[in-house]
Amino acid sequence: MKKAGIIGVGEYLPKRILTNADLEKMVDTSNEWIVSRTGIKERRLAADNEATSDLAIKAAREALENAHLNPQDLDLIIVATITPDMAFPSVASIVENFLLAKKAAAFDISAACVGFVYALSIANQFIVRGTYKNALVIGAEKLSAITDWKDRNTCVLLGDGAGACVLSKVESGGIISAYLGCDGSKGELLNLPAGGSRKPASHETVDNRLHYLKMQGNELFKIAVKIMTEAARTVLRQAGLTFKDIDLIIPHQANSRIIMAVAKRLGIPEDKIYLNIEKYGNMSSASTATALVEAVKDGRVKKGDTILLDAFGAGLVWGACVIDL
Ligand code: COA
């Protein structure tokens, strides 16, 4: 059976750079603390008039150009995001409109930092079953809109950006295996308390800063290492491969110490792990997406290579995916 493969990639990172030195002026932190605890040196911030769809559209345009495809060729658009422009319409609908992708079905999915891996897996199903030919998968976030710039526990970690890829039925290569999971009992470790139907926006929710992301970082750290290690092992087992078959692991970029702890547990050398957290911080669904895009653009991977995406995030959710490029 023919597989769904990546035929084009694109990204967009907002121009504005927020360095650790800038953050030192905003909260009680230091460059030394941030670099040694997280690996992050700077992150990008969208402009006030830039929303998630603006980032998504720019990444999408580059991916389509790279794939030599017109928007009209698209059958499906999936945007993974936890920071949509608004509750509805979806970011995917806004992207469809701007691209004039008239033939495409379009929807968003919410799987936090694993959103891009979930979205790839969904698009894969549509293509392999023959329902659709060409799909655009985007991970896009404006996390700065839900960041509490007074909370040093979280604001130093996050950033804005978008990554996209075009999937199509391919003659060789493609998505070999995907593994997704969830443990909703740990949802309280990372959440955005207000702004939904449980706590609609009110003066009280605003006064209590409930429209900002809340995180129990230390607890998450330990779980993340365990989950990402298990997810990588499981997806490889499903694929009938071993780590020797993998040219590059592209993990979710939440914390370089999490990533290196996973690599150590798996017995993988550091040069087989892709990191761009230093430049961008954690961009949720856009992290794995842009890391994949930049690994391709940087020439770290080439046609014929096998990559493993590995992510965890709020939910808690996790997902891993093996792809032959
Ligand atoms: N600057 C300086 N000090 C800070 C700080 C900052 N930006 N943020 C927290 N601290 C302090 C804490 O207040 C704490 O001080 P205390 O000991 O006086 O209470 C101290 O640093 C250590 O905090 P701790 O939480 O133990 O640090 P840590 O080594 O676990 O690192 C994280 C904190 C958030 C970087 C780390 O836990 C992490 O990355 N967790 C996972 C987060 C994650 O993956 N989130 C996204 C999921 S997709």
Side-chain angles (χ1 to χ4, degrees):
M1 191 162 47
K2 280 189 186 167
K3 295 195 170 65
I6 296 172
I7 62 161
V9 295
E11 65 177 341
Y12 176 73
L13 284 313
K15 303 275 168 288
R16 187 174 158 207
I17 296 174
L18 187 76
T19 64
N20 291 348
D22 295 327
L23 280 162
E24 284 176 353
K25 293 176 205 138
M26 296 162 65
V27 288
D28 180 14
T29 191
S30 66
N31 176 55
E32 197 281 325
W33 192 95
I34 303 171
V35 173
S36 63
R37 299 292 182 110
T38 71
I40 303 167
K41 290 187 176 160
E42 57 187 43
R43 66 288 293 143
R44 299 299 178 96
L45 295 190
D48 290 345
N49 64 355
E50 258 180 333
T52 296
S53 66
D54 298 313
L55 314 185
I57 289 162
K58 287 180 174 140
R61 287 208 164 111
E62 188 177 274
L64 284 165
E65 209 171 289
N66 186 239
H68 305 293
L69 224 61
N70 291 316
Q72 293 72 31
D73 298 323
L74 290 173
D75 305 297
L76 176 67
I77 300 171
I78 309 178
V79 178
T81 188
I82 50 166
T83 49
D85 296 25
M86 57 199 89
F88 59 87
S90 67
V91 175
S93 298
I94 299 167
V95 172
E96 183 275 340
N97 185 41
F98 267 79
L99 294 179
L100 300 173
K102 291 296 170 202
K103 213 172 65 171
F107 60 89
D108 288 0
I109 63 140
S110 172
C113 305
V114 195
F116 185 68
V117 179
Y118 263 68
L120 278 180
S121 171
I122 296 166
N124 179 44
Q125 297 293 327
F126 278 113
I127 291 172
V128 167
R129 283 163 192 268
T131 314
Y132 294 133
K133 192 160 171 265
N134 301 313
L136 174 65
V137 175
I138 307 171
E141 305 284 5
K142 185 178 176 179
L143 290 185
S144 60
I146 57 164
T147 299
D148 186 344
W149 294 104
K150 292 186 172 169
D151 178 11
R152 70 174 183 174
N153 291 294
T154 52
C155 74
V156 301
L157 305 172
L158 310 170
D160 303 334
C165 70
V166 179
L167 284 185
S168 197
K169 201 163 259 193
V170 286
E171 294 299 323
S172 62
I175 296 179
I176 299 174
S177 181
Y179 163 64
L180 308 175
C182 174
D183 177 1
S185 71
K186 297 192 174 63
E188 80 287 353
L189 293 177
L190 182 53
N191 65 9
L192 183 65
S197 58
R198 178 73 60 193
K199 283 193 175 81
S202 67
H203 289 301
E204 193 194 330
T205 59
V206 172
D207 290 346
N208 290 315
R209 307 184 79 72
L210 298 180
H211 295 274
Y212 298 122
L213 171 155
K214 312 286 176 205
M215 188 179 80
Q216 294 175 41
N218 204 272
E219 192 56 28
L220 269 176
F221 188 108
K222 288 175 262 177
I223 298 171
V225 173
K226 192 163 170 278
I227 285 180
M228 288 178 75
T229 305
E230 282 172 10
R233 284 192 178 130
T234 305
V235 79
L236 271 184
R237 202 166 46 243
Q238 276 182 195
L241 299 175
T242 72
F243 285 105
K244 289 204 178 76
D245 301 307
I246 302 297
D247 296 291
L248 191 66
I249 296 187
I250 300 177
H252 172 50
Q253 312 276 317
N255 184 320
S256 58
R257 287 191 297 136
I258 293 178
I259 294 170
M260 288 314 157
V262 173
K264 196 171 167 201
R265 282 190 176 202
L266 294 174
I268 292 165
E270 288 187 12
D271 63 354
K272 271 207 173 185
I273 309 275
Y274 192 81
L275 282 178
N276 66 2
I277 189 170
E278 179 179 306
K279 295 187 288 180
Y280 305 132
N282 180 352
M283 301 183 289
S284 190
S285 69
S287 272
T288 330
T290 57
L292 166 62
V293 174
E294 295 198 348
V296 173
K297 282 185 172 179
D298 295 352
R300 282 286 299 275
V301 284
K302 54 185 187 316
K303 189 140 186 61
D305 282 352
T306 304
I307 58 170
L308 192 160
L309 305 185
D310 190 9
F312 80 100
L316 296 178
V317 285
W318 58 88
C321 187
V322 178
I323 309 171
D324 272 346
L325 292 175

